[in-house]
Amino acid sequence: MDTLYFDHCASTPIHGRVAETVLEVMKIHFANAAALHRAGAEAMKLVDRARAGIAAGFRVKPDEVVFTSGGTESNNLALKGTIGSLARSAKHVIVSSVEHASVYRCAKQLEEQGVEVTWLPVDRYGSVRVEDVTAALRADTALVSVMHVNNETGTVQPIREIGEALARYPQVRFHVDGVQAIGKVPVRFREWGIDMYSASAHKFQGPKGVGFLLVREGLALAPLLAGGSQEAGVRGGTHNVPGIVGMAQAFRLATESMPERRERMFRLRRRLLELASTIPELVLNGYGAEEEEKTSPHVVNLSYPGMRPEVLVHMLEKHGVLVSTQSACSSKSLQPSRVLSSMGLGEDRASGSIRISFGDEHDERDIDTLGERLRMTVDKLKPLERSRG
């Protein structure tokens, strides 16, 4: 039986051309990019070229790209770096209640250190309301952080509308966690009034352990770690040259054909929703096919109310299908999904969800196979559900 991997939100398979590039750079350009000798300078040229390529994709200046180790570091740098760089009078942040753990727990840490946090509610689809953002603003608000695409449900937040609303409050920084958005949905950093935007390479077929934070020109950030002067002193540490070069290539590949890839993935999503709708035990969490403009094309979240998600995941794995529960960073938690609970869904539904996420290697036949195996799994679990009742 072939194994089908449907966990792209956790990590995508690295693109073949990117893997070749990373290996080549590792072999040839192993010198420290900060070194003064020729080999170091050649490595730095590759870093600069990668930075320019990513900057061009967002229509920003190369100096506005800060390389990091991935999404978690980028998000922590945005939140903690902002608070650390501002006067004590600006100690209030606004964070949505459905953020990834790297923002949610970071905000919790700040809260423990005396920073006041307003947690934005969401509607039953997981969407933030712009009026809730503006209602939460205070004179001492330093930062608003709202993710672009939710990592559990695929819901796309109204980033443009929030940015337009915050334009009237220039003292408030707007951070967006875009880890699940790159290559899936359009991003307009400058036009939407975004101040900081986080990304992670392995979410768009790049290597693991590398990411970036776009930082609007002129914003100061306190570094998370004491170290060297790399990345203009904001992020010390030796450059991950192979990772950075591979990320830039993966970014270009993911974004240059995005319209065609989006339409293709939406077709797969529609087919999966159609198949799932024929299994009465499964319930969709998030937007359906009728409101595609509000969701990312690569994620479907389904609940089998009352069924433990790990039972579903392991039974699907026996049938050759790999999916996940919640986010990868929270997959071992036995608690109901924080995201689904915030959407007002009951404990049975929030405790029994699986996340299916797909990408370029999948086609309609894979989705049909997934549908068949979902049905087989549910049929085998029905007796267990009855015995529990």
Side-chain angles (χ1 to χ4, degrees), residues 204-225:
F204 50 87
Q205 294 193 281
K208 291 180 178 62
V210 63
F212 61 83
L213 177 68
L214 298 184
V215 182
R216 181 172 59 80
E217 185 178 35
L219 288 188
L221 285 176
L224 297 180
L225 302 171

Side-chain angles (χ1 to χ4, degrees), residues 114-153:
V115 176
E116 292 187 65
V117 180
T118 296
W119 301 95
L120 293 173
V122 294
D123 64 17
R124 66 191 180 99
Y125 297 104
S127 291
V128 170
R129 291 172 287 260
V130 179
E131 55 268 32
D132 287 335
V133 177
T134 53
L137 290 170
R138 308 186 334 196
D140 61 346
T141 301
L143 176 78
V144 172
S145 183
V146 177
M147 68 198 321
H148 199 167
V149 172
N150 186 269
N151 56 300
E152 292 191 33
T153 64

